[in-house]
Tab-separated table of all heavy atoms in Angstrom:
chain	number	residue	atom	x	y	z
I	93	ALA	N	-19.715	82.841	11.195
I	93	ALA	CA	-20.988	82.512	11.842
I	93	ALA	C	-21.253	83.487	12.976
I	93	ALA	O	-20.341	83.907	13.688
I	93	ALA	CB	-20.952	81.085	12.380
I	94	CYS	N	-22.506	83.829	13.138
I	94	CYS	CA	-22.913	84.749	14.205
I	94	CYS	C	-23.669	83.951	15.263
I	94	CYS	O	-24.905	83.908	15.275
I	94	CYS	CB	-23.781	85.874	13.638
I	94	CYS	SG	-24.209	87.134	14.865
I	95	TRP	N	-22.918	83.280	16.146
I	95	TRP	CA	-23.528	82.487	17.208
I	95	TRP	C	-24.046	83.346	18.336
I	95	TRP	O	-24.613	82.827	19.312
I	95	TRP	CB	-22.527	81.467	17.745
I	95	TRP	CG	-22.031	80.523	16.713
I	95	TRP	CD1	-20.768	80.440	16.201
I	95	TRP	CD2	-22.790	79.512	16.039
I	95	TRP	NE1	-20.686	79.453	15.254
I	95	TRP	CE2	-21.914	78.857	15.141
I	95	TRP	CE3	-24.116	79.107	16.099
I	95	TRP	CZ2	-22.337	77.828	14.313
I	95	TRP	CZ3	-24.541	78.072	15.277
I	95	TRP	CH2	-23.649	77.445	14.401
I	96	ALA	N	-23.856	84.651	18.227
I	96	ALA	CA	-24.382	85.545	19.257
I	96	ALA	C	-25.901	85.459	19.353
I	96	ALA	O	-26.471	85.717	20.412
I	96	ALA	CB	-23.947	86.978	18.968
I	97	VAL	N	-26.558	85.080	18.250
I	97	VAL	CA	-28.012	84.949	18.295
I	97	VAL	C	-28.413	83.828	19.253
I	97	VAL	O	-29.428	83.929	19.958
I	97	VAL	CB	-28.562	84.688	16.871
I	97	VAL	CG1	-28.055	83.359	16.322
I	97	VAL	CG2	-30.085	84.707	16.886
I	98	VAL	N	-27.616	82.766	19.310
I	98	VAL	CA	-27.896	81.678	20.254
I	98	VAL	C	-27.633	82.156	21.678
I	98	VAL	O	-28.397	81.848	22.605
I	98	VAL	CB	-27.042	80.447	19.910
I	98	VAL	CG1	-27.258	79.341	20.940
I	98	VAL	CG2	-27.371	79.945	18.508
I	99	ARG	N	-26.579	82.902	21.853
I	99	ARG	CA	-26.244	83.414	23.182
I	99	ARG	C	-27.304	84.391	23.679
I	99	ARG	O	-27.615	84.426	24.877
I	99	ARG	CB	-24.884	84.095	23.136
I	99	ARG	CG	-24.358	84.565	24.475
I	99	ARG	CD	-22.939	85.081	24.330
I	99	ARG	NE	-22.425	85.572	25.593
I	99	ARG	CZ	-22.557	86.818	26.028
I	99	ARG	NH1	-23.209	87.700	25.270
I	99	ARG	NH2	-22.072	87.194	27.186
I	100	GLU	N	-27.882	85.177	22.783
I	100	GLU	CA	-28.862	86.173	23.180
I	100	GLU	C	-30.269	85.589	23.319
I	100	GLU	O	-31.041	86.023	24.159
I	100	GLU	CB	-28.884	87.312	22.150
I	100	GLU	CG	-27.649	88.185	22.160
I	100	GLU	CD	-27.598	89.068	23.395
I	100	GLU	OE1	-28.663	89.529	23.843
I	100	GLU	OE2	-26.483	89.299	23.917
I	101	ARG	N	-30.607	84.607	22.479
I	101	ARG	CA	-31.993	84.118	22.430
I	101	ARG	C	-32.116	82.642	22.804
I	101	ARG	O	-33.093	81.995	22.425
I	101	ARG	CB	-32.556	84.342	21.024
I	101	ARG	CG	-32.614	85.790	20.594
I	101	ARG	CD	-33.531	86.594	21.488
I	101	ARG	NE	-33.675	87.973	21.040
I	101	ARG	CZ	-34.634	88.395	20.235
I	101	ARG	NH1	-35.530	87.545	19.797
I	101	ARG	NH2	-34.694	89.653	19.884
I	102	TRP	N	-31.154	82.092	23.527
I	102	TRP	CA	-31.216	80.676	23.882
I	102	TRP	C	-32.480	80.359	24.666
I	102	TRP	O	-33.045	79.266	24.553
I	102	TRP	CB	-29.994	80.289	24.709
I	102	TRP	CG	-29.945	80.958	26.043
I	102	TRP	CD1	-29.347	82.137	26.359
I	102	TRP	CD2	-30.572	80.498	27.253
I	102	TRP	NE1	-29.536	82.455	27.678
I	102	TRP	CE2	-30.282	81.465	28.261
I	102	TRP	CE3	-31.330	79.390	27.591
I	102	TRP	CZ2	-30.734	81.337	29.563
I	102	TRP	CZ3	-31.795	79.257	28.884
I	102	TRP	CH2	-31.494	80.221	29.862
I	103	ASN	N	-32.927	81.331	25.485
I	103	ASN	CA	-34.088	81.063	26.327
I	103	ASN	C	-35.346	80.847	25.503
I	103	ASN	O	-36.217	80.045	25.855
I	103	ASN	CB	-34.295	82.211	27.311
I	103	ASN	CG	-34.433	83.552	26.602
I	103	ASN	OD1	-33.847	83.768	25.555
I	103	ASN	ND2	-35.204	84.449	27.165
I	104	GLN	N	-35.448	81.540	24.345
I	104	GLN	CA	-36.619	81.330	23.495
I	104	GLN	C	-36.583	79.968	22.831
I	104	GLN	O	-37.619	79.321	22.674
I	104	GLN	CB	-36.695	82.426	22.439
I	104	GLN	CG	-37.206	83.755	22.972
I	104	GLN	CD	-37.424	84.754	21.860
I	104	GLN	OE1	-36.521	85.469	21.466
I	104	GLN	NE2	-38.638	84.791	21.332
I	105	TYR	N	-35.405	79.525	22.435
I	105	TYR	CA	-35.308	78.206	21.822
I	105	TYR	C	-35.578	77.093	22.836
I	105	TYR	O	-36.050	76.016	22.463
I	105	TYR	CB	-33.924	78.006	21.199
I	105	TYR	CG	-33.731	78.762	19.917
I	105	TYR	CD1	-32.975	79.924	19.873
I	105	TYR	CD2	-34.333	78.321	18.745
I	105	TYR	CE1	-32.807	80.622	18.696
I	105	TYR	CE2	-34.174	79.010	17.564
I	105	TYR	CZ	-33.411	80.163	17.538
I	105	TYR	OH	-33.256	80.854	16.373
I	106	VAL	N	-35.280	77.326	24.091
I	106	VAL	CA	-35.477	76.296	25.116
I	106	VAL	C	-36.881	76.359	25.707
I	106	VAL	O	-37.579	75.350	25.805
I	106	VAL	CB	-34.419	76.436	26.226
I	106	VAL	CG1	-34.691	75.430	27.350
I	106	VAL	CG2	-33.032	76.207	25.663
I	107	TYR	N	-37.337	77.567	26.085
I	107	TYR	CA	-38.591	77.713	26.814
I	107	TYR	C	-39.712	78.345	26.000
I	107	TYR	O	-40.845	78.406	26.488
I	107	TYR	CB	-38.372	78.579	28.059
I	107	TYR	CG	-37.403	77.995	29.054
I	107	TYR	CD1	-36.101	78.460	29.132
I	107	TYR	CD2	-37.792	76.982	29.919
I	107	TYR	CE1	-35.204	77.943	30.052
I	107	TYR	CE2	-36.907	76.457	30.844
I	107	TYR	CZ	-35.606	76.940	30.902
I	107	TYR	OH	-34.730	76.415	31.816
I	108	GLY	N	-39.432	78.816	24.797
I	108	GLY	CA	-40.461	79.504	24.037
I	108	GLY	C	-40.816	80.824	24.685
I	108	GLY	O	-39.946	81.617	25.056
I	109	PHE	N	-42.113	81.060	24.855
I	109	PHE	CA	-42.597	82.280	25.498
I	109	PHE	C	-43.088	82.013	26.925
I	109	PHE	O	-43.920	82.741	27.449
I	109	PHE	CB	-43.719	82.902	24.660
I	109	PHE	CG	-43.264	83.298	23.279
I	109	PHE	CD1	-43.589	82.528	22.174
I	109	PHE	CD2	-42.487	84.422	23.101
I	109	PHE	CE1	-43.163	82.885	20.917
I	109	PHE	CE2	-42.051	84.795	21.834
I	109	PHE	CZ	-42.389	84.021	20.738
I	110	TYR	N	-42.574	80.946	27.511
I	110	TYR	CA	-42.892	80.636	28.902
I	110	TYR	C	-42.445	81.811	29.774
I	110	TYR	O	-41.400	82.425	29.527
I	110	TYR	CB	-42.152	79.369	29.323
I	110	TYR	CG	-42.809	78.574	30.421
I	110	TYR	CD1	-43.890	77.757	30.160
I	110	TYR	CD2	-42.326	78.635	31.724
I	110	TYR	CE1	-44.478	77.011	31.163
I	110	TYR	CE2	-42.904	77.897	32.734
I	110	TYR	CZ	-43.990	77.086	32.447
I	110	TYR	OH	-44.582	76.356	33.444
I	111	PRO	N	-43.225	82.181	30.809
I	111	PRO	CA	-42.853	83.330	31.649
I	111	PRO	C	-41.434	83.178	32.208
I	111	PRO	O	-41.071	82.130	32.741
I	111	PRO	CB	-43.905	83.303	32.762
I	111	PRO	CG	-45.087	82.626	32.148
I	111	PRO	CD	-44.533	81.613	31.211
I	112	VAL	N	-40.650	84.238	32.091
I	112	VAL	CA	-39.245	84.183	32.502
I	112	VAL	C	-39.125	83.855	33.988
I	112	VAL	O	-38.240	83.084	34.398
I	112	VAL	CB	-38.552	85.528	32.181
I	112	VAL	CG1	-37.107	85.521	32.680
I	112	VAL	CG2	-38.610	85.819	30.694
I	113	GLU	N	-40.009	84.412	34.780
I	113	GLU	CA	-39.923	84.191	36.223
I	113	GLU	C	-40.291	82.763	36.619
I	113	GLU	O	-40.102	82.368	37.772
I	113	GLU	CB	-40.827	85.178	36.957
I	113	GLU	CG	-42.322	84.999	36.709
I	113	GLU	CD	-42.816	85.698	35.457
I	113	GLU	OE1	-41.955	86.172	34.675
I	113	GLU	OE2	-44.044	85.766	35.262
I	114	LEU	N	-40.805	81.974	35.662
I	114	LEU	CA	-41.182	80.583	35.947
I	114	LEU	C	-40.308	79.574	35.209
I	114	LEU	O	-40.651	78.392	35.142
I	114	LEU	CB	-42.656	80.353	35.583
I	114	LEU	CG	-43.685	81.163	36.372
I	114	LEU	CD1	-45.096	80.841	35.898
I	114	LEU	CD2	-43.566	80.913	37.872
I	115	TYR	N	-39.183	80.037	34.656
I	115	TYR	CA	-38.267	79.099	34.001
I	115	TYR	C	-37.857	77.978	34.953
I	115	TYR	O	-37.672	76.831	34.538
I	115	TYR	CB	-37.017	79.830	33.513
I	115	TYR	CG	-37.198	80.594	32.224
I	115	TYR	CD1	-36.170	81.391	31.727
I	115	TYR	CD2	-38.373	80.518	31.490
I	115	TYR	CE1	-36.315	82.099	30.546
I	115	TYR	CE2	-38.537	81.223	30.313
I	115	TYR	CZ	-37.492	82.020	29.848
I	115	TYR	OH	-37.643	82.708	28.669
I	116	TRP	N	-37.689	78.310	36.212
I	116	TRP	CA	-37.254	77.304	37.177
I	116	TRP	C	-38.264	76.171	37.285
I	116	TRP	O	-37.886	75.019	37.567
I	116	TRP	CB	-37.056	77.949	38.552
I	116	TRP	CG	-38.308	78.543	39.129
I	116	TRP	CD1	-38.747	79.826	39.001
I	116	TRP	CD2	-39.299	77.862	39.909
I	116	TRP	NE1	-39.944	80.000	39.657
I	116	TRP	CE2	-40.305	78.816	40.226
I	116	TRP	CE3	-39.431	76.565	40.382
I	116	TRP	CZ2	-41.425	78.492	40.985
I	116	TRP	CZ3	-40.544	76.240	41.135
I	116	TRP	CH2	-41.527	77.196	41.434
I	117	ARG	N	-39.537	76.477	37.057
I	117	ARG	CA	-40.567	75.439	37.200
I	117	ARG	C	-40.454	74.412	36.084
I	117	ARG	O	-40.541	73.194	36.338
I	117	ARG	CB	-41.953	76.097	37.189
I	117	ARG	CG	-42.931	75.414	38.113
I	117	ARG	CD	-44.124	76.284	38.378
I	117	ARG	NE	-45.038	76.356	37.232
I	117	ARG	CZ	-46.099	77.137	37.175
I	117	ARG	NH1	-46.377	77.940	38.195
I	117	ARG	NH2	-46.896	77.144	36.126
I	118	ALA	N	-40.254	74.878	34.855
I	118	ALA	CA	-40.064	73.944	33.748
I	118	ALA	C	-38.782	73.142	33.924
I	118	ALA	O	-38.736	71.939	33.631
I	118	ALA	CB	-40.053	74.707	32.427
I	119	THR	N	-37.732	73.801	34.411
I	119	THR	CA	-36.466	73.107	34.646
I	119	THR	C	-36.624	72.014	35.694
I	119	THR	O	-36.128	70.890	35.526
I	119	THR	CB	-35.394	74.116	35.080
I	119	THR	OG1	-35.258	75.128	34.087
I	119	THR	CG2	-34.059	73.427	35.291
I	120	MET	N	-37.314	72.321	36.783
I	120	MET	CA	-37.541	71.317	37.820
I	120	MET	C	-38.378	70.160	37.287
I	120	MET	O	-38.125	68.986	37.617
I	120	MET	CB	-38.229	71.960	39.018
I	120	MET	CG	-38.493	70.997	40.167
I	120	MET	SD	-39.295	71.766	41.590
I	120	MET	CE	-40.900	72.171	40.890
I	121	THR	N	-39.359	70.463	36.436
I	121	THR	CA	-40.219	69.411	35.888
I	121	THR	C	-39.412	68.401	35.095
I	121	THR	O	-39.581	67.185	35.242
I	121	THR	CB	-41.308	70.026	35.008
I	121	THR	OG1	-42.069	70.962	35.774
I	121	THR	CG2	-42.234	68.952	34.478
I	122	PHE	N	-38.510	68.899	34.252
I	122	PHE	CA	-37.731	67.969	33.429
I	122	PHE	C	-36.599	67.333	34.214
I	122	PHE	O	-36.119	66.256	33.841
I	122	PHE	CB	-37.222	68.691	32.190
I	122	PHE	CG	-38.311	68.968	31.197
I	122	PHE	CD1	-38.783	70.245	31.003
I	122	PHE	CD2	-38.891	67.945	30.477
I	122	PHE	CE1	-39.802	70.508	30.116
I	122	PHE	CE2	-39.906	68.188	29.579
I	122	PHE	CZ	-40.368	69.478	29.396
I	123	GLY	N	-36.166	67.956	35.299
I	123	GLY	CA	-35.245	67.262	36.183
I	123	GLY	C	-35.908	66.087	36.873
I	123	GLY	O	-35.336	64.993	36.979
I	124	LEU	N	-37.141	66.297	37.334
I	124	LEU	CA	-37.884	65.197	37.965
I	124	LEU	C	-38.247	64.107	36.961
I	124	LEU	O	-38.503	62.966	37.361
I	124	LEU	CB	-39.154	65.748	38.627
I	124	LEU	CG	-38.938	66.751	39.764
I	124	LEU	CD1	-40.281	67.220	40.312
I	124	LEU	CD2	-38.095	66.145	40.875
I	125	LEU	N	-38.276	64.458	35.661
I	125	LEU	CA	-38.554	63.447	34.638
I	125	LEU	C	-37.517	62.328	34.684
I	125	LEU	O	-37.853	61.147	34.534
I	125	LEU	CB	-38.577	64.100	33.264
I	125	LEU	CG	-38.656	63.161	32.051
I	125	LEU	CD1	-39.974	62.385	32.055
I	125	LEU	CD2	-38.517	63.949	30.754
I	126	PHE	N	-36.250	62.672	34.908
I	126	PHE	CA	-35.212	61.643	34.962
I	126	PHE	C	-35.365	60.773	36.201
I	126	PHE	O	-35.002	59.596	36.177
I	126	PHE	CB	-33.830	62.304	34.930
I	126	PHE	CG	-33.459	62.838	33.581
I	126	PHE	CD1	-33.725	64.154	33.241
I	126	PHE	CD2	-32.856	62.024	32.644
I	126	PHE	CE1	-33.397	64.649	31.998
I	126	PHE	CE2	-32.516	62.508	31.389
I	126	PHE	CZ	-32.795	63.823	31.063
I	127	VAL	N	-35.889	61.343	37.275
I	127	VAL	CA	-36.169	60.522	38.458
I	127	VAL	C	-37.252	59.497	38.139
I	127	VAL	O	-37.176	58.333	38.560
I	127	VAL	CB	-36.592	61.419	39.633
I	127	VAL	CG1	-36.948	60.571	40.853
I	127	VAL	CG2	-35.484	62.399	39.984
I	128	ALA	N	-38.255	59.920	37.369
I	128	ALA	CA	-39.329	58.996	37.000
I	128	ALA	C	-38.847	57.944	36.005
I	128	ALA	O	-39.333	56.803	36.010
I	128	ALA	CB	-40.505	59.782	36.417
I	129	LEU	N	-37.899	58.299	35.133
I	129	LEU	CA	-37.430	57.359	34.115
I	129	LEU	C	-36.361	56.400	34.637
I	129	LEU	O	-36.204	55.301	34.088
I	129	LEU	CB	-36.865	58.129	32.916
I	129	LEU	CG	-37.858	58.938	32.083
I	129	LEU	CD1	-37.123	59.681	30.971
I	129	LEU	CD2	-38.931	58.039	31.489
I	130	ALA	N	-35.623	56.806	35.658
I	130	ALA	CA	-34.495	55.991	36.129
I	130	ALA	C	-34.889	54.566	36.496
I	130	ALA	O	-34.232	53.604	36.068
I	130	ALA	CB	-33.802	56.695	37.303
I	131	PRO	N	-35.937	54.331	37.310
I	131	PRO	CA	-36.271	52.937	37.646
I	131	PRO	C	-36.844	52.157	36.477
I	131	PRO	O	-36.909	50.922	36.533
I	131	PRO	CB	-37.311	53.089	38.766
I	131	PRO	CG	-37.943	54.404	38.520
I	131	PRO	CD	-36.850	55.276	37.976
I	132	VAL	N	-37.272	52.842	35.417
I	132	VAL	CA	-37.833	52.155	34.255
I	132	VAL	C	-36.739	51.815	33.251
I	132	VAL	O	-36.668	50.687	32.747
I	132	VAL	CB	-38.916	53.034	33.593
I	132	VAL	CG1	-39.479	52.346	32.356
I	132	VAL	CG2	-40.029	53.342	34.580
I	133	LEU	N	-35.860	52.769	32.969
I	133	LEU	CA	-34.843	52.566	31.938
I	133	LEU	C	-33.597	51.869	32.464
I	133	LEU	O	-32.909	51.183	31.704
I	133	LEU	CB	-34.441	53.917	31.332
I	133	LEU	CG	-35.564	54.735	30.681
I	133	LEU	CD1	-34.990	56.008	30.073
I	133	LEU	CD2	-36.289	53.923	29.604
I	134	PHE	N	-33.289	52.065	33.744
I	134	PHE	CA	-32.042	51.502	34.298
I	134	PHE	C	-32.341	50.683	35.539
I	134	PHE	O	-31.705	50.836	36.580
I	134	PHE	CB	-31.066	52.638	34.630
I	134	PHE	CG	-30.851	53.605	33.502
I	134	PHE	CD1	-31.373	54.882	33.562
I	134	PHE	CD2	-30.153	53.232	32.379
I	134	PHE	CE1	-31.185	55.782	32.537
I	134	PHE	CE2	-29.954	54.112	31.336
I	134	PHE	CZ	-30.475	55.391	31.410
I	135	SER	N	-33.296	49.794	35.418
I	135	SER	CA	-33.733	49.018	36.576
I	135	SER	C	-32.677	48.022	37.044
I	135	SER	O	-32.645	47.668	38.225
I	135	SER	CB	-35.028	48.272	36.240
I	135	SER	OG	-34.831	47.407	35.127
Side-chain angles (χ1 to χ4, degrees):
C94 185
W95 301 112
V97 64
V98 176
R99 185 174 178 271
E100 290 288 324
R101 298 298 184 93
W102 66 269
N103 56 328
Q104 283 187 273
Y105 285 104
V106 176
Y107 298 102
F109 299 103
Y110 207 78
V112 177
E113 66 275 10
L114 297 180
Y115 281 175
W116 62 268
R117 216 164 74 186
T119 303
M120 181 180 67
T121 302
F122 287 108
L124 297 179
L125 172 64
F126 286 93
V127 177
L129 293 178
V132 178
L133 301 183
F134 309 108
S135 59

